[in-house]
Each structure stands twice: as C-alpha cells, then as structure tokens.
Amino acid sequence: MNPTGEWKTGRIVVNGEHVTHWLNGHVTVEFELYSDEWEQLVAKSKFGVEEFYSRAPSGSIGLQDHGTPVWYRNIDRKSTRLNSTHVVLSYSVFCLKKKNSSPSSPL
C-alpha cells in the first residue's frame, strides 16, 4: 500500500449487487448491496439517518475525505453492459497526513 502523501490508485467494480473495491491492486472490501449485513452496517453508520442512502438506480458519485486535504484525478466511470448492472469506477487519490499540512497542489 502506498503511504500517506503518495498517489494511490483505486477501482470499484459493481457487478449486479456485488461490489469489490481495490486500492493499489489489493482488494480492500467486498460486499453485497442491500444484503442483511449491508443494511445493518448502513444503519449503524452516519448514513443511517438517510432514508434513501444508496437507493437511486443512477445519479452522482459521492467522494469524501476524513478531515484532511485530499485530491482526486483520473476519475473514469464505465458501464460495460447496456443495463448498467456492471460498472467500473477507476480513480487516483492523494491524501495528506496532517490537517495543517499545506504542500503545493499534487496535481
């Protein structure tokens, strides 16, 4: 895994309701959308109060940080089937280690 302060590459693949997230070529998480386990995890998260969280069949992609500066680049979304049940999102991300760090933009 690339350390904090270096660019990382990611890929999220949604195949039907199965989701796999890679970071720097390693699987970081896999889950089934709308499974009992998924519903429980969402209910316990900060999104539990959002009635329609992750329920829209299409829409915007939400990118987030966890309190430190972050940059994204090379964001590419591809649907590989006509019915959009197979979607691949590729991206690069750069995160700073400390909130107060202020290097020149990594872009």
Side-chain angles (χ1 to χ4, degrees), residues 10-98:
R11 183 172 53 145
I12 300 170
V13 178
V14 180
N15 191 1
E17 293 182 353
H18 186 82
V19 179
T20 308
H21 185 195
W22 281 266
L23 192 58
N24 293 328
H26 300 284
V27 173
T28 59
V29 66
E30 284 188 85
F31 57 91
E32 298 293 325
L33 285 170
Y34 318 119
S35 67
D36 290 341
E37 178 184 22
W38 185 85
E39 295 287 357
Q40 290 170 10
L41 289 170
V42 171
K44 293 177 188 175
S45 77
K46 65 182 178 183
F47 302 106
V49 297
E50 302 293 334
E51 181 180 0
F52 299 108
Y53 175 75
S54 195
R55 302 291 181 198
S58 64
S60 300
I61 296 169
L63 303 174
Q64 68 179 38
D65 65 75
H66 294 281
T68 59
V70 62
W71 291 264
Y72 293 92
R73 68 179 182 188
N74 303 326
I75 298 171
D76 185 27
R77 180 194 177 276
K78 295 180 181 173
S79 294
T80 56
R81 295 185 185 159
L82 292 176
N83 62 6
S84 298
T85 61
H86 187 96
V87 177
V88 177
L89 176 70
S90 301
Y91 63 92
S92 296
V93 62
F94 181 94
C95 301
L96 292 180
K97 188 172 188 176
K98 298 177 183 175

